[in-house]
């Protein structure tokens, strides 16, 4: 049976979306990942581009509210917040009996500069999330064997 994982952040427009996509891409046999936010926004188009560069299409994904998932009675084995230190106090808390983790990543919406400079910053964040997912998948596989 797959473990259900929820990645949460403030807007569900970048970090949580990337984490969800990477986990579903890398470990589809062991996990079913979703993502949500406190104040769902719109998917960041530069994040869509950055993910396409590594062969993952998230262009059809919408954002969703963590509160709506809670109201629907959704349950998760793991809830992982991906907010950075600056927005940590606004990062949603998802109630319930889940293992909680915090993986802080810089907020792509706060990057400044030209479009190419922002995209370069998003690539760094993307690669950090990818590495963390890879590390976590390996640790979970070892723990379950």
């Amino acid at each position: 049976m797959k473990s259900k994982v929820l990645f949460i952040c403030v807007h569900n427009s970048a970090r949580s979306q990337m984490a969800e996509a990477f986990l579903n891409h890398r470990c589809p046999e062991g996990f079913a990942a979703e993502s949500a936010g406190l104040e769902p926004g719109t998917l960041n188009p530069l994040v869509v581009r950055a993910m396409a560069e590594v062969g993952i299409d998230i262009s059809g994904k919408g954002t969703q509210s963590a509160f709506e998932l809670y109201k629907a009675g959704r349950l998760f084995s793991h809830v992982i917040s991906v907010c950075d230190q600056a927005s940590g106090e606004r990062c949603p808390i998802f109630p319930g009996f889940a293992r909680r983790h915090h993986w802080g990543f810089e907020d792509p919406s706060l990057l400044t500069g030209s479009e190419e400079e922002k995209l370069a910053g998003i690539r760094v964040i993307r690669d950090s999330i990818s590495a963390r997912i890879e590390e976590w998948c390996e640790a979970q596989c070892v723990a379950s064997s």
Side-chain angles (χ1 to χ4, degrees):
M1 188 166 145
K2 293 183 182 185
S3 291
K4 294 181 181 176
V5 178
L6 177 64
F7 291 98
I8 54 175
C9 65
V10 177
H11 297 292
N12 188 222
S13 62
R15 297 165 290 187
S16 56
Q17 292 276 355
M18 288 189 281
E20 171 191 354
F22 278 127
L23 185 58
N24 285 331
H25 182 75
R26 298 248 167 80
C27 305
E29 64 288 336
F31 299 99
E34 291 187 63
S35 63
L38 178 64
E39 303 163 354
T42 57
L43 197 56
N44 183 321
L46 293 177
V47 168
V48 172
R49 271 180 63 189
M51 292 300 286
E53 291 174 354
V54 295
I56 300 176
D57 180 10
I58 63 169
S59 62
K61 289 283 298 162
T63 61
Q64 62 181 346
S65 163
F67 184 65
E68 292 302 319
L69 290 177
Y70 171 70
K71 284 190 344 186
R74 301 291 301 281
L75 300 174
F76 298 91
S77 302
H78 300 272
V79 175
I80 303 171
S81 61
V82 292
C83 300
D84 61 2
Q85 202 67 12
S87 60
E89 64 191 35
R90 292 185 57 224
C91 201
I93 296 172
F94 195 84
F97 298 102
R99 291 183 197 110
R100 301 189 187 291
H101 313 272
H102 176 72
W103 304 346
F105 298 103
E106 185 178 359
D107 186 348
S109 71
L110 300 178
L111 296 173
T112 59
S114 68
E115 186 171 295
E116 281 307 312
E117 290 168 329
K118 290 178 187 177
L119 185 57
I122 289 170
R123 287 179 183 125
V124 171
I125 297 165
R126 174 201 65 200
D127 294 346
S128 295
I129 293 171
S130 176
R132 186 66 180 97
I133 292 291
E134 193 70 35
E135 177 184 295
W136 193 68
C137 284
E138 288 176 20
Q140 293 300 310
C141 288
V142 168
S144 65
S145 25

